[in-house]
Amino acid sequence: MVGNQTMVTEFLLLGFPLGPKMQVLLFGLFSLFYAFTLLGNGAILALSCLDPRLHTPMYFFLSHLAIVDIAYACNTVPRMLLNLLDPALPISFRGCMTQTFLFLTFAHTECLLLVMMSYDRYVAICQPLRYSAIMGWRICIGLVVTSWILGVSLALVHLILLLPLPFCGSQKVNHFFCEILAVLKVACADTHINEVLVLAGAASVLVGPFSSIIVSYAHILGAILKIQSGEGRQKAFSTCSSHLCVVGLFYGTAIVMYIGPQHGDSKEQKKYLLLFHSLFNPMLNPLIYSLRNKEVKCALKRMLIKERTP
């Protein structure tokens, strides 16, 4: 078993069972979406850094969400594009393990960042007079650093348990990247403990945080309905609805993928759902925030006017 394990140097990602013409078409389409993801999140990150009016806790968290989304897409999409051009192109063992680790890191970190952002909105709307005192820069930096540390730590636990497993059978991974459950399927050892920990980890970073976000927004909704000013109510709804859309897209797809049933035809369906999760979610996030957030649109206009002015 050990001898066979040392011989494993690469995996073959099966991707999507499509014809050559469809693969070329998807390569062009997904390349366009990938470019939009980088441009959109890059614009959000640039605006948050360069515009002094956006130097607030809300946009500090949003800038880190943009960083995670860029990294999230860069970790999975380029490899998927290469496989669409050459389905027989293998990925090295180290490359596969690295991709698994980074995917888990960014997924866990985004889960926690969305919780921090909901807490920020809760304090801003439900306790506006204490907002500056509660959401100071030291607290904000501490929350973001905690999110990254926990994201890396949780991913590291899964990686430590994954690396010792022997891979002595088929090295064909039925996915478009090295997703942890798909990689576990090609191990020739009992992976029950690994699968239980993936489920437990998913429950800890999905169900708990998602429940806390729902509770926060229940309080936020109550506070918004008490606002007398129509303009103030509209502004609160605008910023919160943007975040709520992003939360719904991210947590909704993640919960279905990792906490829903893991057998039958659902496995193949979840592959396509994960495509939406890893490609379209990062692309839609900046679009949602820019279309529904007046401050972001104004900041973009100011930057464009500044660039045109000699």
Side-chain angles (χ1 to χ4, degrees):
M1 186 77 74
V2 175
N4 287 335
Q5 184 185 2
T6 57
M7 291 174 61
V8 175
T9 58
E10 57 188 30
F11 293 98
L12 182 65
L13 300 173
L14 298 182
F16 305 101
L18 303 168
K21 290 184 179 179
M22 182 58 71
Q23 287 181 328
V24 172
L25 178 64
L26 288 180
F27 173 82
L29 193 62
F30 290 167
S31 296
L32 193 62
F33 291 157
Y34 181 51
F36 283 151
T37 298
L38 299 183
L39 287 172
N41 285 288
I44 292 287
L45 183 58
L47 289 172
S48 300
C49 294
L50 298 176
D51 194 315
R53 299 185 194 185
L54 299 185
H55 290 174
T56 63
M58 175 182 169
Y59 293 101
F60 175 69
F61 291 126
L62 184 57
S63 65
H64 279 270
L65 183 66
I67 292 171
V68 171
D69 281 338
I70 290 172
Y72 208 67
C74 290
N75 182 49
T76 57
V77 179
R79 183 71 219 186
M80 179 182 65
L81 294 176
L82 285 174
N83 271 57
L84 285 171
L85 289 179
D86 184 5
L89 185 68
I91 182 172
S92 67
F93 181 87
R94 288 183 179 180
C96 188
M97 295 299 108
T98 301
Q99 193 178 52
T100 302
F101 170 72
L102 291 177
F103 175 81
L104 291 171
T105 296
F106 300 139
H108 292 148
T109 303
E110 183 156 351
C111 283
L112 298 171
L113 279 176
L114 290 173
V115 175
M116 306 306 177
M117 292 174 75
S118 70
Y119 177 69
D120 172 69
R121 291 299 85 204
Y122 167 77
V123 176
I125 294 171
C126 297
Q127 302 183 46
L129 298 179
R130 298 181 59 204
Y131 181 73
S132 298
I134 296 174
M135 299 304 293
W137 282 111
R138 291 179 66 181
I139 297 296
C140 292
I141 293 170
L143 290 174
V144 167
V145 170
T146 301
S147 298
W148 279 102
I149 290 174
L150 286 175
V152 172
S153 301
L154 290 169
L156 198 58
V157 171
H158 291 296
L159 184 67
I160 290 171
L161 292 172
L162 179 63
L163 285 174
L165 292 176
F167 295 91
C168 51
S170 171
Q171 269 67 65
K172 294 180 180 179
V173 178
N174 186 20
H175 223 291
F176 61 89
F177 77 101
C178 288
E179 192 270 335
I180 186 165
L181 291 177
V183 174
L184 288 173
K185 293 298 177 188
V186 300
C188 53
D190 185 8
T191 60
H192 179 69
I193 293 176
N194 301 73
E195 291 171 1
V196 168
L197 282 174
V198 170
L199 180 61
S204 66
V205 297
L206 290 174
V207 178
F210 184 64
S211 300
S212 70
I213 290 174
I214 295 299
V215 171
S216 296
Y217 271 96
H219 287 92
I220 288 170
L221 181 60
I224 289 175
L225 293 175
K226 293 177 183 178
I227 298 175
Q228 300 297 324
S229 166
E231 185 180 348
R233 189 182 300 174
Q234 185 179 2
K235 183 179 179 182
F237 265 122
S238 177
T239 55
C240 291
S241 61
S242 300
H243 181 247
L244 207 52
C245 285
V246 171
V247 166
L249 285 171
F250 184 87
Y251 278 94
T253 53
I255 287 172
V256 171
M257 285 185 301
Y258 289 102
I259 300 181
Q262 297 293 332
H263 36 257
D265 294 335
S266 65
K267 287 185 179 180
E268 198 66 25
Q269 293 168 2
K270 286 179 180 180
K271 188 198 298 185
Y272 292 94
L273 192 60
L274 192 51
L275 173 65
F276 178 88
H277 186 75
S278 58
L279 178 61
F280 293 98
N281 268 9
M283 182 184 70
L284 291 174
N285 286 355
L287 193 63
I288 291 169
Y289 277 107
S290 61
L291 287 178
R292 300 190 61 86
N293 195 310
K294 193 176 290 184
E295 290 177 330
V296 173
K297 288 189 280 188
C298 290
L300 183 59
K301 287 178 183 177
R302 286 193 297 270
M303 180 173 285
L304 293 174
I305 292 170
K306 188 177 180 180
E307 288 294 325
R308 291 176 183 174
T309 304

